[in-house]
Amino acid sequence: MRKMLVVAVREYQAAVRTKAFIVSLVAMPILMGGGIIAQVLLKDKVDLTDRKIAVVDHTGVLYDAVAAAAKKRDAERIFEATASGEKKQVQPRFVVEEVDTAGRNEDQLGFDLSEQVRKGGLFAFAIIPVNALEPPNKETEPSGAVKTVIDYHTNTPTYFDLPRWLDSVVNGEVRRVRLEKAGVNPQVVATASTPVPLETWGLVKKDASGKITKAQETNRAASFVAPAGLMMLMLMVVMVGASPLVQIVLEEKMQRIAEVLLGSIPPFQLMMGKLLGTVGVSLTISTVYLVGGFAAVSYAGFAPYFPTHLLWWFMVYQALAVLMYGSVFISVGAAVSDLKESQSLLTPVMVLIMAPVFVWGNVMQAPTATFAVVCSLFPPATPMLMLLRQAIPPGVPAWQPALGIVLVLLTTTLFVFAAGRVFRVGILMQGKGAKFGEMLRWAIRG
Amino acid sequence: MNVIELHNITKTFGKHVAVDDLSLAVPRGSIYGFIGPNGSGKTTTLRMIMRIYFPDRGAIRVLGEESHGAAHDRIGYLPEERGLYKKMKVREILRFYAELKGRRDFYQAADAWLERLSLTEWANKKVETLSKGMAQKVQFISAVIADPELVILDEPFSGLDPVNMEVLRECVLDLRKKGSTVIFSTHDMAVAERMCDFIFMIYQGRKVLDGTLDSIQNQYGQDTIRVRLAERDGDLTVLPGVEKITDFGTLQELRITPETDTQDVLESLMRLGRVTHFELARPSLQDIFIRIAGPEAEKAAALSRKLEAAHA
C-alpha cells in the first residue's frame, strides 16, 4: 500500500506540476467555448457592402411592396444604437431594382441578369411568376407539374439573409392580397393567429406541514444544460485525465524505467499506483472546472440551477470511470511498442467511451424508458448515463444508481485485474507489440 | 548462511528454455560474479531472483524468505536495461526510490553518495541534462540508497569510462565491507577475476562453472604457457603437444595437452627464436570462457548433436 501511494504521488506530481497541465486546463474550456467567444468577438465584423438585387415581377403588383419593405428595413433594422447614442450600421443595405423585361424572352433575360451578377453589378436576381397571387390549385397543378415558385439566382448561395428576407416580404404581401381577394380582413387573421404560449412546470408537492406548494417553473435551458454539462465534463476529464496513461506507460517501457521500478515494487502495485495518481489528476481537473462553473453560474444568477446535490455522485462516478478506462489504457500502453501500434487497439476503447454520447439524446428525451435504464446500467456507460439521468428532474429510483455502482465496481475490478496481468507480461516485452488476442490470452492465463 | 538459494529452477519462454534446472547458493557477504555469453540466461536468472519473473519449476529463497512479493525492500537492483524519468531532478529520483524501499531519512545517504560519485552539483538538475555516465551513476545510487543487504547489479560497469569504472568498483567493494552481499553480471573477465569471491557461469541456460576462481582454474590445471619470442623464425604450430595458440601480438598463449612435457616445448621454442618470456600458468577466466562458449565449443556441440541424431 505504501509503495502504491509513493507511485501515485509521483504520478500526480509529474502530471500536475507541468506547464502543459496548466495550459491544457485553461485551453480546454477555451476550445470548447471558442465558438461562442469567436462569435461574440466577430459580431461586428460584418460585410456591409450593399446587396443589390434585381426583381422581375411578372405579377406587376408585388414589386412596390418589396421596394417599400427594403426602404423600411434600411431605415429601421440595419442600425444599432452604440453606447454613445450614435447609430451604427450593423447589417448591409438591400437595394432592390425592378427589371424591365423589354420584350426579352425568359432565357435571354435570365442570361443577361446572370452576366450582371458575374460582373459584380448585381448580387442576385429574383423572378416572381405571373401566377404568384393565385392560390395553389391541386387540380391545375398535379404533382409532377411545374410548381409556382420564386426563382432566386445568385453566385453566393451561402448568404442566407437576402433570400430569407425576400421570401418573407413577397409571401407576406401575397398572403395579404389573397386574403383581401377572399374578402377577409388581414388584421383579423393576424389577431386570430396570435399563439397562446406554453410554459413547462414541475410537479405540485406537499410540504412537511401537509400544505400543497405551487409547482416550480422549469427552466428549460437549465434542465438541459446541467445534465448535459455534467456528462460532457466527465467525458472530457476521462479523455484528458486517463488517456495519457497509454503514453506514460509506453514511455516507461521503452525508456526501460519499468524494470528499475519492478525491482522495487510488484507490477500490480505499480499499476495501481499509476491509476490512483491518475484518479487524483482527474479529480483535480474536475474540481477546478466545477468550482469555476459554479462561480460563473452564480455570477449569472443561476446558482439555484447548479446541480450541487449530484457533485458527490459525480466524483464517485468519475473516479470509477478513470479506474475502469485507465486500466484499459495502461494495458494498451504496456502491450504495444510504439504509439502508432496503440492506435488500432485504442479505437474500440474510444468508441466505448464515446458510446454515451451516441445515445444521450434518446436518454434525455425519455430518461425513464427501458432503453435509457438499460443503457445506464451497462457498466462502461454507467458513470456518464446514470449521472445524466440523475440530473434530469425528477431523477431516478435509488436502486438504479446503487445497482449501477455495484456493476461498475465489479467491472472495474475485472478490468483492473486483467490489466494487471497484461501489464506484468507486456511491460518487459521488447520488440513487436501484442495483438488484442495475445493480450486477452495474457489476461486469462496470467 | 546463504543469501540466495536456487533449487533446480527452470524458466521457459514459449519453446525456448532460458534457464534449465539451475541450482545455486550465494553465501552472505560475498561478491558473486555472473558470467556467460549474451542470451545465456544471466538476466533471466537475476530477474527470477528479483521475482520479476517466476520460475516454471524449482524453488527460490532470497534472504531466507520464499516470499511471493515481487520485490524486497532489502534488495537493491540495477537492471541491465537502465532508465530514469528524464523530467525529474536527481534528488527527487533518489527520494522516490528511497521511499519505494521504505526509507524516509534518505537525505544524508543521498548527499554522501552524490559527493562520492562527484554529482553534488547535479543534485538539483533534471536527469535529461546529465551525460550517460552520470545517469548511470545516479541509477547506481538509486539501487543502493536504502542500504540493501543484497545488491544485484546487471552489467554495472558497461559503458563507463575507466575513471568512473574505478570509482564504481571501489563503491561495490565498500558495499561488501559494510556487510552487503553483491551479485553482478559482467562481460569483463578481468573485472570478474579481480573482484569476485565466487564466479558462476551460465551457458545455454545451464550452469557450467560455479566456485572460486582458484577452484575453477584448478579444474583445468597448469595447461597454459605464455611466451614472448624475439627474432622469431618459424611457425609456432610445429611445437609438440600444443592444442591451441592464442596470439596477442607480442605475447602468445599456448594450450598444451596434459601429457606434454613443458621442457620439450621450451626446447623447441628456443630453436624458433630468442625466448624473452616463458611462463607456466593456469588458464585465465577469459580463456576458460572461450573454451566453454567460443566457436570451438559451438562446433563440438553441433557435432555431438549431429552424432546423437544419427544414432537415434
Side-chain angles (χ1 to χ4, degrees), chain B residues 197-245:
Chain B
D197 303 312
F198 299 93
I199 289 161
F200 156 78
M201 179 170 172
I202 183 168
Y203 179 56
Q204 294 182 342
R206 286 168 176 268
K207 179 164 82 175
V208 284
L209 293 177
D210 184 16
T212 58
L213 182 63
D214 252 359
S215 70
I216 289 170
Q217 286 178 321
N218 283 342
Q219 287 172 28
Y220 289 84
Q222 276 200 331
D223 68 349
T224 301
I225 301 172
R226 292 191 190 114
V227 294
R228 262 200 191 103
L229 281 179
E231 302 151 23
R232 189 170 86 189
D233 176 25
D235 198 345
L236 295 183
T237 49
V238 299
L239 295 173
V242 172
E243 272 186 336
K244 187 173 181 256
I245 302 164

Side-chain angles (χ1 to χ4, degrees), chain B residues 50-203:
Chain B
M50 287 307 298
R51 307 205 191 265
I52 292 171
Y53 287 158
F54 294 93
D56 302 330
R57 279 195 302 280
I60 299 178
R61 285 176 79 86
V62 180
L63 294 170
E65 286 176 30
E66 229 169 284
S67 80
H68 293 290
H72 210 293
D73 287 350
R74 294 188 285 159
I75 308 174
Y77 178 48
L78 176 77
E80 181 188 6
E81 309 278 11
R82 292 184 253 280
L84 294 165
Y85 290 108
K86 288 186 182 150
K87 297 285 175 196
M88 279 177 95
K89 291 177 182 164
V90 170
R91 199 187 288 274
E92 285 175 351
I93 284 233
L94 296 181
R95 189 180 71 186
F96 175 58
Y97 282 112
E99 283 180 351
L100 272 184
K101 297 282 187 194
R103 277 283 297 257
R104 298 256 161 215
D105 55 333
F106 81 102
Y107 287 102
Q108 225 178 337
D111 285 343
W113 275 112
L114 287 170
E115 196 181 334
R116 179 156 190 194
L117 293 177
S118 318
L119 287 168
T120 307
E121 58 189 281
W122 296 88
N124 291 314
K125 300 258 167 61
K126 283 188 179 170
V127 169
E128 62 191 355
T129 61
L130 303 183
S131 71
K132 199 179 158 211
M134 287 181 200
Q136 187 155 337
K137 288 194 283 184
V138 172
Q139 192 107 47
F140 175 80
I141 300 176
S142 66
V144 297
I145 183 108
D147 284 334
E149 284 176 46
L150 170 62
V151 186
I152 297 177
L153 310 167
D154 202 351
E155 312 256 0
F157 307 112
S158 70
L160 285 179
D161 64 51
V163 175
N164 278 319
M165 190 168 157
E166 201 47 37
V167 173
L168 215 59
R169 199 182 64 82
E170 280 171 17
C171 291
V172 171
L173 292 175
D174 274 1
L175 285 171
R176 197 253 309 257
K177 265 189 215 156
K178 284 183 190 160
S180 298
T181 308
V182 181
I183 291 179
F184 72 85
S185 73
T186 183
H187 282 307
D188 190 332
M189 296 304 123
V191 167
E193 273 182 350
R194 275 186 290 149
M195 289 181 67
C196 298
D197 303 312
F198 299 93
I199 289 161
F200 156 78
M201 179 170 172
I202 183 168
Y203 179 56

Side-chain angles (χ1 to χ4, degrees), chain A residues 268-283:
Chain A
F268 189 76
Q269 287 190 29
L270 174 60
M271 188 193 76
M272 280 310 293
K274 288 186 178 304
L275 278 175
L276 290 183
T278 308
V279 169
V281 173
S282 70
L283 291 180

Side-chain angles (χ1 to χ4, degrees), chain A residues 254-310:
Chain A
M254 298 323 284
Q255 291 174 11
R256 326 287 173 153
I257 300 167
E259 192 176 348
V260 188
L261 293 173
L262 292 178
S264 301
I265 177 168
F268 189 76
Q269 287 190 29
L270 174 60
M271 188 193 76
M272 280 310 293
K274 288 186 178 304
L275 278 175
L276 290 183
T278 308
V279 169
V281 173
S282 70
L283 291 180
T284 306
I285 300 174
S286 53
T287 307
V288 168
Y289 286 150
L290 286 171
V291 170
F294 184 70
V297 166
S298 306
Y299 181 74
F302 290 109
Y305 296 109
F306 196 81
T308 339
H309 62 293
L310 286 175

